[in-house]
């Protein structure tokens, strides 16, 4: 992709009371500037990102691998203790919705279906109805075997994209989960790190451990498939060698449909996928970018600067959450320059 010059803006405001171990994910609410953060320190933390206040904290019995909001009063978390939990913010109470047979890596709440979807290293996807009373038999809607361990999930409308080990990608319609709508293989050669659907519902971006992102489309027609492409990112050349970093995070801007990527090089880049251009590169963060999330109006970007142990145990910077104000120039697609403008 063509790129603009790197920027030197400050990294954003650092939130106080960060997790004490690796940050597995962070997400803004769809209704406010509340931010939910899951961590390997066994906690889920709820922040008011605008006010820089820790509003709540839930402790689990093992590392927490993902979290998401239901609404501003409750959310969900999953983790290495194999459980799926509902968190009630006002009372700081939680209950267990159900379990998998291995650590649960991903959780998404579908507003379209009113269901919670979880993906686990037990090679299954489960759908839950959180409106049911607690207890697995009352809340479990269905269990759907996957070809391998689930690494990443993403939703847009009724469509669900599941990325697993072995470079498999399954695309489902939540209204008919009996079998995938499409069974695909990643077009990247290496392990998938993250998958995120385009806000307009036409496809998804998928990143790998080998400094690449693939832009894919759901429509299987020849004309749509001709639009797909992949690009290199989060790399550097040193002494004639290419050093390649995993791309851990993808977040789409809710207004403009441009997207940010975060890598183990400590950089966040913003891309215009339609015009195949890099719009912006934020100045380097202290360590690997583990997760990214735009606020509902796209005015804030939360960045988890948190070592992801891609080089094994070693001394590393403190885990931190930065919340930066987003300028339109960083995320708005640039109009195409035409050689001869009309008179």
């Amino acid at each position: 992709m063509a790129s603009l010059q790197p920027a030197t803006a400050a990294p954003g405001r650092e939130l106080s009371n960060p997790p004490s171990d690796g940050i597995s994910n962070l997400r803004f609410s769809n209704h406010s500037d509340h931010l939910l953060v899951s961590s390997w320190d066994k906690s889920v933390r709820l922040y008011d990102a605008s006010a820089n206040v820790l509003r709540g904290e839930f402790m689990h019995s093992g590392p927490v691998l993902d979290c998401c909001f239901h609404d501003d009063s409750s959310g969900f978390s999953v983790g290495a203790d194999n459980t799926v939990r509902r968190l009630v913010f006002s009372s700081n109470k939680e209950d267990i919705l159900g379990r998998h047979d291995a650590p649960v890596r991903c959780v998404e709440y579908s507003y379209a279906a009113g269901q919670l979807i979880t993906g686990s290293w037990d090679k299954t996807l489960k759908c839950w109805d959180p409106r049911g009373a607690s207890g697995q038999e009352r809340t479990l809607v269905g269990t759907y075997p996957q070809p391998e361990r689930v690494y990443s999930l993403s939703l847009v409308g009724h469509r669900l994209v599941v990325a697993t080990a072995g470079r498999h990608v399954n695309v489902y319609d939540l209204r008919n989960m009996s079998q995938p709508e499409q069974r695909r293989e990643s077009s990247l050669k290496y392990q998938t790190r993250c998958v995120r659907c385009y806000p307009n519902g036409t496809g998804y971006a998928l990143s790998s451990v080998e400094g690449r992102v693939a832009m894919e489309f759901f429509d299987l027609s020849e004309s749509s498939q001709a639009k797909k492409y992949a690009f290199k990112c989060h790399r550097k050349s040193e002494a004639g060698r290419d050093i390649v970093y995993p791309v851990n995070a993808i977040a789409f801007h809710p207004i403009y449909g441009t997207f940010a990527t975060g890598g183990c090089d400590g950089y966040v880049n913003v891309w215009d996928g339609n015009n195949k251009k890099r719009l912006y590169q934020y100045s380097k963060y202290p360590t690997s970018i583990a997760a990214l999330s735009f606020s509902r109006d796209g005015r804030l970007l939360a960045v988890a600067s948190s070592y992801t142990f891609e080089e094994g145990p070693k001394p590393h910077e403190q885990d931190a959450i930065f919340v930066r104000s987003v300028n339109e120039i960083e995320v708005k697609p640039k109009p195409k320059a035409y050689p001869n403008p009309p008179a």
Side-chain angles (χ1 to χ4, degrees), residues 4-158:
L4 297 179
Q5 287 302 305
T8 52
R13 191 181 59 213
E14 191 171 347
L15 291 187
S16 45
N17 301 304
S20 59
D21 202 347
I23 296 164
S24 54
N25 204 8
L26 46 71
R27 309 226 199 184
F28 271 110
S29 163
N30 280 346
H31 307 284
S32 70
D33 290 341
H34 286 176
L35 186 71
L36 204 58
V37 179
S38 54
S39 167
W40 284 78
D41 72 359
K42 306 181 184 177
S43 77
V44 178
R45 286 172 163 83
L46 176 69
Y47 297 91
D48 182 330
S50 299
N52 193 359
V53 174
L54 180 64
R55 293 252 181 242
E57 187 174 9
F58 297 84
M59 294 305 296
H60 295 353
S61 58
V64 189
L65 301 181
D66 199 5
C67 61
C68 69
F69 280 94
H70 179 205
D71 50 33
D72 259 5
S73 62
S74 64
F76 304 100
S77 66
V78 296
D81 64 359
N82 305 1
T83 60
V84 179
R85 296 169 190 259
R86 173 179 19 213
L87 316 171
V88 181
F89 304 140
S90 55
S91 60
N92 251 30
K93 287 205 169 78
E94 58 178 89
D95 59 353
I96 293 178
L97 276 184
R99 288 182 169 80
H100 278 265
D101 296 330
V104 192
R105 178 64 187 88
C106 322
V107 60
E108 291 284 342
Y109 180 74
S110 166
Y111 292 92
Q115 288 182 11
L116 191 70
I117 297 108
T118 55
S120 167
W121 293 340
D122 68 5
K123 305 182 185 178
T124 70
L125 200 65
K126 291 191 178 191
C127 293
W128 314 84
D129 183 350
R131 294 163 295 198
S134 277
Q136 179 146 335
E137 61 288 345
R138 288 189 289 273
T139 55
L140 183 63
V141 176
T143 302
Y144 310 100
Q146 298 303 302
E148 249 292 0
R149 288 153 293 158
V150 178
Y151 282 168
S152 189
L153 297 178
S154 187
L155 285 169
V156 60
H158 284 283

Side-chain angles (χ1 to χ4, degrees), residues 193-212:
R193 288 295 287 144
C194 182
V195 66
R196 292 290 178 265
C197 293
Y198 306 156
N200 67 7
T202 59
Y204 59 90
L206 180 144
S207 68
S208 79
V209 296
E210 188 255 346
R212 261 176 230 263

Side-chain angles (χ1 to χ4, degrees), residues 3 9 61 84 87 94 120 131 164 172 181 190-191 213 234 240 244-246 254 294 298 308 321 331 338:
S3 62
S61 58
V84 179
L87 316 171
E94 58 178 89
S120 167
R131 294 163 295 198
T164 75
Y172 286 92
E181 209 175 33
Y190 294 89
Q191 181 188 338
V213 173
H234 300 280
V244 179
Y245 297 91
F294 282 105
T308 55
I321 300 161
V331 293
Y338 292 100

Side-chain angles (χ1 to χ4, degrees), residues 288 307-316:
S288 310
Y307 178 52
T308 55
F309 286 80
E310 64 279 1
E311 294 173 7
K314 67 172 191 180
H316 56 87

